[in-house]
Amino acid sequence: MASLSAAVNIVTTDGPAGRCGITATAVCSVTDSPPTLMVCINRNSAMNPVFQENGKLCVNVLNHQQELMARHFAGMTGVSMEERFRQEEWRQGALGQPLLCNTLASLEGEIAQIQSIGTHQVYLVEIKQIVLSDSGHGLIYFKRNFHPVKHEMAALA
């Protein structure tokens, strides 16, 4: 799977079970009508009960300058969950979920279905609110490392 490049996201939630977030690359579009994403989280993650009880989440699609934040939320830096939410500017989305500022996109939604498949919990999330940015380049994870992805038009400029 290390050869399968993927966009880097921080998936966040807030609600009765508390606030948490996790770096995830196993995120993809399922359908546009209704707008639905699939988010996969390892079944051993302590965050699954929090996501499930809150019932809502936000997929924050990171830009090329947010690698350190990805590392924090992946647990690579030893920074506590509370401190992770102090690292950069956060705001509350329309559904009350944590939206990271300066991302390429933030997709906020309600968990419609959860399935256990192999080692992961698979969340199907109906997207209710989308915030897009007009600037920035992508961040992918490939061969166990983060890599910036330059937008072609910006690279030509």
Side-chain angles (χ1 to χ4, degrees), residues 4 10 18 23 26 35-37 44 52 57 59 62 67 70 83 97 100-102 107 116 146 148-149:
L4 182 61
I10 294 177
T23 298
T36 304
L37 293 179
N44 293 328
Q52 291 169 18
L57 58 77
V59 174
L62 302 189
E67 178 181 337
E83 185 63 26
Q97 301 309 295
L100 179 59
C101 295
N102 303 313
L107 302 101
S116 292
F146 295 96
V149 177

Side-chain angles (χ1 to χ4, degrees), residues 2-142:
S3 294
L4 182 61
S5 59
V8 180
N9 309 278
I10 294 177
V11 183
T12 57
T13 188
D14 197 359
R19 179 175 65 176
C20 71
I22 190 167
T23 298
T25 56
V27 175
C28 73
S29 173
V30 176
T31 178
D32 354 344
S33 187
T36 304
L37 293 179
M38 178 180 68
V39 177
C40 303
I41 301 175
N42 191 295
R43 192 177 305 168
N44 293 328
S45 172
M47 302 200 209
N48 279 306
V50 181
F51 282 106
Q52 291 169 18
E53 186 176 332
N54 288 345
K56 298 176 185 168
L57 58 77
C58 182
V59 174
N60 295 281
V61 183
L62 302 189
N63 73 46
H64 70 291
Q65 296 176 319
Q66 294 174 311
E67 178 181 337
L68 182 57
M69 187 63 88
R71 289 181 181 279
H72 290 324
F73 276 85
M76 300 169 122
T77 61
V79 172
S80 72
M81 187 62 68
E82 185 177 311
E83 185 63 26
R84 294 173 195 181
F85 282 101
R86 289 190 201 140
Q87 294 293 318
E88 284 191 29
E89 191 174 326
W90 290 87
R91 65 185 181 92
Q92 191 176 53
L95 298 181
Q97 301 309 295
L99 272 65
L100 179 59
C101 295
N102 303 313
T103 59
L104 297 178
S106 293
L107 302 101
E108 200 176 7
E110 298 173 352
I111 298 170
Q113 251 182 69
I114 304 169
Q115 295 184 350
S116 292
I117 300 177
T119 58
H120 282 65
Q121 295 293 93
V122 178
Y123 295 86
L124 294 179
V125 182
E126 287 189 18
I127 302 304
K128 305 295 183 185
Q129 182 74 24
I130 299 173
V131 177
L132 297 174
S133 172
D134 291 333
S135 62
H137 303 289
L139 181 65
I140 64 166
Y141 196 70
F142 174 69

